[in-house]
Amino acid sequence: MPPYVVRAASLGGEVVRAAGGLRMLPDVDLAAAEDPDVLLVPGGPGVAEVDDRLVAWLRERAPRARRVVSVCTGAWLLAEAGLLDGRRATTHWEACAHLADRHPEVRVEPEPIFVRDGPVYTSAGVTAGVDLTLALVEEDFGRAVAHEVARLLVVFLRRPGSQAQVSAQLSAQVAHSAPLREVQHWATANLAADLSVPAMARRAGLSPRQFARAFAEQSGVTPGRFVDLIRLEAAQRMLVDTGEGVSRIARQCGYGTQEGMRRAFVRELGVSPTEYRRGRL
């Protein structure tokens, strides 16, 4: 018997056409399906026009599962069935605001790539679903098995659920004025430099107040938050991709000391730099 037996089900056992055009033949009609141990609900554009019968099935049967898991906008279906009421949850970053507006009883967290609240697990986009399933494998069968699965899939084991969905490098592209873009790119390449607001404002040719206001308007984050994120991302990459010591990485990324970097990792990711590195080797 394999560790997991996967069964796909649909309303009426009908063929399902995915958003990308792929046709999938389910194994069973939902009405005839056994109670699942792990119930996994995928997302996609179809969640905007969900069948009431599916919501009713989820409301009745999901509480019987040991785990309820959603990928991407599958969280919408869980919310419609009331399964996320009073719980923390996430979904694809584009849908977080809409989910929060439609279901104020759900504590939507737009930053993490996946969230666990009791037996309910929700994840962001498709690749975040991979990170979440690796976390589930680790819970069920241990770290060694999860590591081997990740190796076979040629993916890292594993991004922590607390990692942000959207990279600071992507938000850097939002700034539309050349001086701010130049400062963002320069800061990313000079993490150990003085990246205070006054220093960056001088480089942009603006007063600190003008710089801070324009930066937040164009990038969606404050200058200080942007610096926090690019330093964290650089440190994460170096911990995984190099054999440099933690103290040296801390200096190169602008934290100054190993303790400064440790505090940043614990605050943002919930793990120390050493634990983060260990989780990817």
Side-chain angles (χ1 to χ4, degrees):
M1 178 70 71
Y4 296 109
V5 177
V6 180
R7 293 284 183 269
S10 70
L11 288 170
E14 297 179 359
V15 172
V16 176
R17 183 182 291 277
L22 183 68
R23 289 165 57 87
M24 294 175 287
L25 179 62
D27 298 298
V28 64
D29 180 351
L30 271 174
E34 297 179 359
D35 288 341
D37 177 52
V38 178
L39 174 63
L40 195 153
V41 181
V47 300
E49 300 175 359
V50 61
D51 192 304
D52 290 341
R53 293 175 298 164
L54 177 56
V55 174
W57 187 93
L58 287 170
R59 187 178 294 120
E60 176 188 357
R61 303 288 290 277
R64 304 178 191 174
R66 177 170 61 95
R67 287 196 191 108
V68 178
V69 181
S70 69
V71 177
C72 197
T73 51
W76 280 71
L77 301 179
L78 301 186
E80 290 290 331
L83 299 168
L84 298 182
D85 289 1
R87 295 188 184 275
R88 297 165 47 248
T90 193
T91 186
H92 191 284
W93 62 269
E94 283 191 315
C96 282
H98 198 172
L99 178 62
D101 289 342
R102 183 175 177 86
H103 295 281
E105 66 279 8
V106 180
R107 303 202 302 272
V108 179
E109 299 187 1
E111 287 287 330
I113 59 173
F114 64 83
V115 169
R116 175 187 180 181
D117 191 322
V120 180
Y121 301 69
T122 53
S123 64
V126 174
T127 58
V130 174
D131 293 290
L132 174 52
T133 52
L134 285 171
L136 299 180
V137 170
E138 184 172 343
E139 285 185 16
D140 287 341
F141 302 106
R143 181 173 184 75
V145 174
H147 189 283
E148 182 61 19
V149 172
R151 193 168 69 87
L152 290 172
L153 293 176
V154 197
V155 297
F156 288 119
L157 175 69
R158 62 180 164 76
R159 292 187 295 172
S162 56
Q163 183 163 321
Q165 292 190 36
V166 182
S167 167
Q169 300 286 357
L170 295 181
S171 64
Q173 299 173 25
V174 175
H176 55 76
S177 75
L180 293 187
R181 282 201 309 272
E182 191 277 332
V183 168
Q184 290 171 322
H185 296 316
W186 178 83
T188 302
N190 296 273
L191 296 171
D194 179 2
L195 299 184
S196 64
V197 168
M200 291 192 291
R202 285 194 299 272
R203 192 170 188 88
L206 298 170
S207 72
R209 172 181 268 181
Q210 289 174 318
F211 174 80
R213 183 174 62 249
F215 192 102
E217 289 174 350
Q218 294 186 32
S219 71
V221 294
T222 65
R225 181 60 178 161
F226 176 77
V227 170
D228 287 344
L229 291 174
I230 60 175
R231 282 178 168 157
L232 182 70
E233 289 176 358
Q236 289 175 282
R237 287 195 301 272
M238 292 184 70
L239 286 167
V240 173
D241 297 338
T242 77
E244 297 279 6
V246 174
S247 293
R248 182 174 175 82
I249 291 173
R251 291 193 301 272
Q252 292 178 333
C253 292
Y255 290 109
T257 66
Q258 182 173 334
E259 177 58 22
M261 189 166 89
R262 189 196 69 80
R263 288 197 300 269
F265 267 67
V266 171
R267 181 179 66 250
E268 298 288 348
L269 303 177
V271 296
S272 70
T274 301
E275 291 169 330
Y276 182 89
R277 169 175 270 172
R278 188 182 303 125
R280 281 147 185 79
L281 299 179

